[in-house]
Amino acid sequence: MTVTVVGIGAEGWPGLGEPARAALEAADVVLGAPRQLALLPSLSASHATWPSPLVPALPGLLAEHAGRALVVLASGDPTFYGIGSTVLAHDPTAAVHPAPSSLALACGRLGWAAQDVEVLSTVGRPPEAVRAALAPRRRLLVLVPDGDAPKTLAESLTSWGYGAATMTVLGSLGGPGESRVDGHAAGWVHPPGDPLAVVAVTCPDLPEDPLLGRAPGLPDDAYSHDGQLTKTEVRALSVAALRPVPGALLWDVGGGAGSVGIEWMRHHPACRALSVEVREDRAARIRANAARLGVPGLRVVLGRAPDVLADLETPDAVFVGGGVSVPGMLEAAHGSLRPGGRLVANAVTVEGEAALAAFRAAHGGALRRIGIQRAEPVGRFSAWRALAGVTQLIHRKDPSA
């Protein structure tokens, strides 16, 4: 079987290059959405439309057409938020012929430099997926699932303090029905429009946003919590010690309010995190905090550590913020780590400190004592109030392990 993925724009056949046209002319079967298939001229290939849901059905479709020349149609650039990446995951030998992506077309229409734009998607994701990327003067391109989405995005931007953001909705880019609608997030008045749209957002110079930036250490009051919260200063040091990198997976064991996992994921859109929490009420709170703070993809695992850890995906880093003195907790976390991964654990009790010291004696690492004082009012004056001292273990697993 030969599989070719062809990107096709809203202009259809006239916009295809010769390699893409040749693949379609030689195909036995063409798979695509009805609107994509309708853009093709009369060809000898039979047509097949995508089922829904698509991704789970893809392996069966590829097997069904084994031994035949198969062309898969995709919108624009197939590897840019498209089916092309999924096809390649199943068949790395597949050929891909891209058309200009919606990003390239939108930047061309707006006169924006593509390298300075952040691209996000709310297709299959809540609007909160945009939250962490917002910043003064930042330019965003947001892929949306339908014609109602720009209004929903405008309402969300306004609620986050970005009502002054300018929005441009670009519909059917590259096609004969291309459209453009401009406005501001606050008071967005345009009716639902083209479902094939990209929304361009320019953030204002001075948004009313208390959560600026991706650096760890958000204010404590950014979180809903019941007292189980890694405080701002300790959280900033903990996330920094974990060294988040794009694509890496963190286990946040003893999630509490979920703050460490949330700020790990805010570091970069590709960062992933699992928050392990035994209490259902706290698990629900973690999900709500993650959505509100722009990382709705954070996964909450309900269960008691260390028992629940055995079946989870191998982590690149582990943070233990509670339960360090539970027998086997640190050993289970360390044993699960990918070689070269990092373990950071915090303790506030004598028993917890003893567990950290014992682990360090067995495996190495660094210990540090964190003491924080905050100025608080005392009548008409201010005085220093000390937070509970925190002992922190920082360990990197032997890369050869």
Side-chain angles (χ1 to χ4, degrees), residues 14 17 43 45 65 120 127 140 148 160-161 219 227 248 269 276 278 280 331 369 399:
L43 298 169
H65 298 293
L120 303 111
L140 313 175
D148 295 313
W160 299 327
V276 180
V278 69
E280 292 189 9
E331 290 295 336
R369 181 77 170 161

Side-chain angles (χ1 to χ4, degrees), residues 4-17 20-21 24 30-41 43 47 50 71-80 82-84 96-102 105 172-176 196:
T4 304
V5 186
V6 170
I8 188 167
E11 73 279 14
W13 186 262
L16 296 178
R21 291 187 181 187
L24 285 163
V30 179
L31 275 172
R35 63 174 179 81
Q36 295 167 334
L37 294 169
L39 296 171
L40 300 179
L43 298 169
H47 287 186
W50 291 120
V71 170
V72 176
L73 292 180
S75 296
D77 182 349
T79 58
F80 178 71
I83 191 63
V96 179
H97 299 300
S101 68
S102 55
L105 293 171
S172 294
L173 283 162
L196 298 176

